[in-house]
């Protein structure tokens, strides 16, 4: 078995936390296994649990539209979540569930080796930033800023933004998320440029 098959089978058969009890499908993630960009959401919802695919419900449709507006193509992105099984009644994942599931995300990152991970929402942002020793109280204080982190032996950049579902309830957040996705598109279009060069250019562009 190759490493992906092994990971797939570990997740589909996983009983490491209580979320396995109610799932129809564990949702590992989808996208090219050599993607430069990875998106990490929170947890599968009802539609994702039925389909076994991430972001296929209302939040997913909004995400697809926002990616398109920012000039990013979903086909070239690997999309997954912090927890792979749907929490009952779409409640937020609990800390012990995130902790149980995190090793799968770390394995995915190790296999894909993305240049950039966009964390969507406070759960995935807090989880990834904690690997750089950063503790956050809320998403607003970190969103829209690129930060270098190391996951295992992979050096990459994270960019936190709001969760797309937040823009369903608060449509004003949509423009902010699209703006953050454009920062990601700009970052990815610069091959070889260091993150520091990029941040300086970005500040210059913004007139700081
Ligand atoms: N919300 C998420 O965080 N992930 C999904 O896959 C769908 C909705
Ligand atoms: Fe296993 Fe993650 Fe599903 Fe919990 S959420 S049962 S840790 S795959």
């Amino acid at each position: 078995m190759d490493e992906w098959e092994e990971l797939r089978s570990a997740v589909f058969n996983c009983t490491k936390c209580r979320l396995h009890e109610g799932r129809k499908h564990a949702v590992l993630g989808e996208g090219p296994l050599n993607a430069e960009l990875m998106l990490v959401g929170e947890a599968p919802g009802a539609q994702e649990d039925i389909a076994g695919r991430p972001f296929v419900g209302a939040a997913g449709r909004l995400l697809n539209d926002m990616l398109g507006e920012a000039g990013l193509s979903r086909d070239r992105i690997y999309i997954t979540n912090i927890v792979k099984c749907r929490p009952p009644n779409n409640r937020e994942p609990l800390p012990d569930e995130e902790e149980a599931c995190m090793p799968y995300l770390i394995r995915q990152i190790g296999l894909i080796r993305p240049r950039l991970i966009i964390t969507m929402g406070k759960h995935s942002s807090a989880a990834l930033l904690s690997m750089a020793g950063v503790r956050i109280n809320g998403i607003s204080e970190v969103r829209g800023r690129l930060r270098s982190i190391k996951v295992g032996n992979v050096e990459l950049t994270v960019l936190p933004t709001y969760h797309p579902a937040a823009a369903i309830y608060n449509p004003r957040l949509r423009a902010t998320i699209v703006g953050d996705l454009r920062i990601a598109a700009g970052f990815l279009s610069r091959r070889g440029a260091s993150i520091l060069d990029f941040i300086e250019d970005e500040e210059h562009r913004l007139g700081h």
Side-chain angles (χ1 to χ4, degrees), residues 11 14-20 23 26 83-85 97 100-101 104:
V11 168
C14 182
T15 55
K16 282 202 295 171
C17 85
R18 65 185 79 71
L19 296 182
H20 80 278
R23 75 177 170 222
V83 300
K84 312 306 191 203
C85 304
E97 295 160 356
C101 213
Y104 296 130

mmCIF file of all heavy atoms in Angstrom, residues 11 14-20 23 26 83-85 97 100-101 104, ligand 2:
data_model
loop_
_atom_site.group_PDB
_atom_site.id
_atom_site.type_symbol
_atom_site.label_atom_id
_atom_site.label_comp_id
_atom_site.label_asym_id
_atom_site.label_seq_id
_atom_site.Cartn_x
_atom_site.Cartn_y
_atom_site.Cartn_z
ATOM 1 N N VAL A 11 -8.060 6.710 8.006
ATOM 2 C CA VAL A 11 -9.116 7.690 8.312
ATOM 3 C C VAL A 11 -10.498 7.049 8.152
ATOM 4 O O VAL A 11 -11.381 7.232 8.998
ATOM 5 C CB VAL A 11 -8.958 8.951 7.425
ATOM 6 C CG1 VAL A 11 -10.176 9.848 7.494
ATOM 7 C CG2 VAL A 11 -7.709 9.738 7.851
ATOM 8 N N CYS A 14 -11.194 4.974 11.142
ATOM 9 C CA CYS A 14 -10.754 5.551 12.411
ATOM 10 C C CYS A 14 -11.862 5.569 13.471
ATOM 11 O O CYS A 14 -13.008 5.913 13.185
ATOM 12 C CB CYS A 14 -10.257 6.986 12.174
ATOM 13 S SG CYS A 14 -9.638 7.769 13.672
ATOM 14 N N THR A 15 -11.492 5.217 14.696
ATOM 15 C CA THR A 15 -12.419 5.314 15.837
ATOM 16 C C THR A 15 -11.722 6.037 16.992
ATOM 17 O O THR A 15 -12.030 5.793 18.155
ATOM 18 C CB THR A 15 -12.868 3.910 16.307
ATOM 19 O OG1 THR A 15 -11.696 3.126 16.601
ATOM 20 C CG2 THR A 15 -13.685 3.196 15.245
ATOM 21 N N LYS A 16 -10.767 6.937 16.648
ATOM 22 C CA LYS A 16 -9.977 7.567 17.709
ATOM 23 C C LYS A 16 -10.762 8.601 18.530
ATOM 24 O O LYS A 16 -10.314 8.996 19.592
ATOM 25 C CB LYS A 16 -8.737 8.258 17.108
ATOM 26 C CG LYS A 16 -7.620 7.264 16.772
ATOM 27 C CD LYS A 16 -6.260 7.961 16.705
ATOM 28 C CE LYS A 16 -6.205 8.958 15.567
ATOM 29 N NZ LYS A 16 -4.995 9.783 15.610
ATOM 30 N N CYS A 17 -11.870 9.108 17.987
ATOM 31 C CA CYS A 17 -12.680 10.008 18.816
ATOM 32 C C CYS A 17 -14.154 9.704 18.600
ATOM 33 O O CYS A 17 -14.525 8.956 17.686
ATOM 34 C CB CYS A 17 -12.357 11.482 18.546
ATOM 35 S SG CYS A 17 -13.244 12.194 17.152
ATOM 36 N N ARG A 18 -15.000 10.309 19.436
ATOM 37 C CA ARG A 18 -16.437 10.004 19.418
ATOM 38 C C ARG A 18 -17.126 10.372 18.101
ATOM 39 O O ARG A 18 -18.215 9.899 17.823
ATOM 40 C CB ARG A 18 -17.146 10.698 20.596
ATOM 41 C CG ARG A 18 -17.127 12.206 20.530
ATOM 42 C CD ARG A 18 -17.724 12.885 21.766
ATOM 43 N NE ARG A 18 -16.830 12.924 22.918
ATOM 44 C CZ ARG A 18 -15.732 13.677 23.027
ATOM 45 N NH1 ARG A 18 -15.366 14.475 22.025
ATOM 46 N NH2 ARG A 18 -15.006 13.651 24.115
ATOM 47 N N LEU A 19 -16.489 11.213 17.275
ATOM 48 C CA LEU A 19 -17.161 11.642 16.040
ATOM 49 C C LEU A 19 -17.353 10.491 15.048
ATOM 50 O O LEU A 19 -18.146 10.594 14.129
ATOM 51 C CB LEU A 19 -16.394 12.793 15.376
ATOM 52 C CG LEU A 19 -16.327 14.092 16.186
ATOM 53 C CD1 LEU A 19 -15.581 15.167 15.404
ATOM 54 C CD2 LEU A 19 -17.719 14.581 16.569
ATOM 55 N N HIS A 20 -16.643 9.384 15.259
ATOM 56 C CA HIS A 20 -16.828 8.266 14.315
ATOM 57 C C HIS A 20 -18.230 7.673 14.454
ATOM 58 O O HIS A 20 -18.754 7.075 13.532
ATOM 59 C CB HIS A 20 -15.762 7.183 14.513
ATOM 60 C CG HIS A 20 -16.043 6.258 15.659
ATOM 61 N ND1 HIS A 20 -15.736 6.576 16.959
ATOM 62 C CD2 HIS A 20 -16.634 5.037 15.689
ATOM 63 C CE1 HIS A 20 -16.111 5.578 17.745
ATOM 64 N NE2 HIS A 20 -16.656 4.644 17.007
ATOM 65 N N ARG A 23 -20.919 9.311 11.925
ATOM 66 C CA ARG A 23 -20.590 9.684 10.545
ATOM 67 C C ARG A 23 -21.191 8.719 9.514
ATOM 68 O O ARG A 23 -21.343 7.530 9.796
ATOM 69 C CB ARG A 23 -19.067 9.723 10.355
ATOM 70 C CG ARG A 23 -18.450 8.335 10.264
ATOM 71 C CD ARG A 23 -16.953 8.359 10.015
ATOM 72 N NE ARG A 23 -16.427 7.023 10.181
ATOM 73 C CZ ARG A 23 -15.299 6.719 10.803
ATOM 74 N NH1 ARG A 23 -14.544 7.676 11.325
ATOM 75 N NH2 ARG A 23 -14.910 5.469 10.918
ATOM 76 N N ALA A 26 -16.263 9.469 6.541
ATOM 77 C CA ALA A 26 -15.148 10.326 6.959
ATOM 78 C C ALA A 26 -14.709 11.074 5.696
ATOM 79 O O ALA A 26 -14.709 10.514 4.602
ATOM 80 C CB ALA A 26 -14.011 9.481 7.507
ATOM 81 N N VAL A 83 -10.960 18.406 11.448
ATOM 82 C CA VAL A 83 -11.473 17.077 11.815
ATOM 83 C C VAL A 83 -12.192 16.467 10.612
ATOM 84 O O VAL A 83 -12.832 17.170 9.843
ATOM 85 C CB VAL A 83 -12.385 17.061 13.078
ATOM 86 C CG1 VAL A 83 -11.653 17.556 14.294
ATOM 87 C CG2 VAL A 83 -13.677 17.800 12.864
ATOM 88 N N LYS A 84 -12.047 15.173 10.475
ATOM 89 C CA LYS A 84 -12.490 14.491 9.253
ATOM 90 C C LYS A 84 -13.915 13.940 9.354
ATOM 91 O O LYS A 84 -14.445 13.459 8.351
ATOM 92 C CB LYS A 84 -11.536 13.338 8.904
ATOM 93 C CG LYS A 84 -10.034 13.680 8.933
ATOM 94 C CD LYS A 84 -9.639 14.869 8.067
ATOM 95 C CE LYS A 84 -8.125 14.988 7.916
ATOM 96 N NZ LYS A 84 -7.693 16.353 7.571
ATOM 97 N N CYS A 85 -14.517 13.952 10.544
ATOM 98 C CA CYS A 85 -15.881 13.430 10.682
ATOM 99 C C CYS A 85 -16.810 14.529 11.188
ATOM 100 O O CYS A 85 -16.388 15.410 11.937
ATOM 101 C CB CYS A 85 -15.921 12.248 11.656
ATOM 102 S SG CYS A 85 -14.795 10.920 11.197
ATOM 103 N N GLU A 97 -11.216 16.204 20.207
ATOM 104 C CA GLU A 97 -11.461 15.682 18.854
ATOM 105 C C GLU A 97 -10.415 16.243 17.884
ATOM 106 O O GLU A 97 -9.877 15.512 17.040
ATOM 107 C CB GLU A 97 -12.878 16.061 18.404
ATOM 108 C CG GLU A 97 -13.965 15.390 19.252
ATOM 109 C CD GLU A 97 -15.330 16.071 19.187
ATOM 110 O OE1 GLU A 97 -15.483 17.139 18.551
ATOM 111 O OE2 GLU A 97 -16.268 15.520 19.811
ATOM 112 N N ALA A 100 -7.172 14.475 18.517
ATOM 113 C CA ALA A 100 -7.157 13.102 17.997
ATOM 114 C C ALA A 100 -6.967 13.087 16.482
ATOM 115 O O ALA A 100 -6.344 12.187 15.924
ATOM 116 C CB ALA A 100 -8.457 12.388 18.377
ATOM 117 N N CYS A 101 -7.524 14.080 15.804
ATOM 118 C CA CYS A 101 -7.539 14.064 14.333
ATOM 119 C C CYS A 101 -6.317 14.745 13.706
ATOM 120 O O CYS A 101 -5.992 14.487 12.550
ATOM 121 C CB CYS A 101 -8.818 14.733 13.837
ATOM 122 S SG CYS A 101 -9.446 14.009 12.312
ATOM 123 N N TYR A 104 -3.589 13.250 11.266
ATOM 124 C CA TYR A 104 -3.928 12.989 9.862
ATOM 125 C C TYR A 104 -3.610 14.211 9.003
ATOM 126 O O TYR A 104 -3.096 14.084 7.899
ATOM 127 C CB TYR A 104 -5.408 12.616 9.718
ATOM 128 C CG TYR A 104 -5.768 11.333 10.427
ATOM 129 C CD1 TYR A 104 -6.855 11.272 11.293
ATOM 130 C CD2 TYR A 104 -5.015 10.186 10.231
ATOM 131 C CE1 TYR A 104 -7.188 10.096 11.947
ATOM 132 C CE2 TYR A 104 -5.342 9.002 10.884
ATOM 133 C CZ TYR A 104 -6.430 8.960 11.746
ATOM 134 O OH TYR A 104 -6.746 7.796 12.390
HETATM 135 FE FE1 LIG B 2 -10.854 9.676 13.696
HETATM 136 FE FE2 LIG B 2 -10.712 12.249 13.070
HETATM 137 FE FE3 LIG B 2 -12.965 10.929 12.647
HETATM 138 FE FE4 LIG B 2 -12.221 11.478 15.134
HETATM 139 S S1 LIG B 2 -12.786 12.960 13.562
HETATM 140 S S2 LIG B 2 -12.976 9.499 14.385
HETATM 141 S S3 LIG B 2 -9.983 11.294 14.989
HETATM 142 S S4 LIG B 2 -11.005 10.564 11.626
#
